[in-house]
Amino acid sequence: MIKVGDKIFAFLGSDTAIGLKCGDRETADLLLDRYPGVASKMAYIGQHGWNTFVIDGTIPPDEIQDLIDTSYDLIVAKLPKSKRPA
């Protein structure tokens, strides 16, 4: 897992997958529709907008980077201002 402050913004469960916050569940579901078979709702926290993405080349690397950046930004926005990175 990768944290910003004391909050997780990415789960690295294996060499071929990453778990990321994708906004609300509705937004996260759009990604499931766009990438069937390589995007899935995460167990336990999926109802809160978390998805797992398989890193196999199906999703372009720049989009994976955008998903990571989005997850980071969503989590930073929830941190108290005193704990946000400068």
Side-chain angles (χ1 to χ4, degrees), residues 1 8 12 15 17 20 23-25 28 42 46 48 61 73 80-81:
M1 69 187 130
I8 298 168
L12 303 174
D15 292 340
L20 298 167
D24 60 17
R25 187 68 249 158
M42 286 185 73
H48 301 289
D73 292 342
K81 288 185 180 184

Side-chain angles (χ1 to χ4, degrees), residues 5 10-11 14 24 34 36 38-39 42-44 59 63-64 66 69 78-79 83 85:
F11 289 92
S14 71
D24 60 17
R34 182 189 275 174
V38 294
M42 286 185 73
Y44 307 108
I59 304 172
E63 189 157 355
I64 292 289
D66 288 345
D69 292 345
K78 292 183 178 183
L79 291 172
K83 293 191 176 194

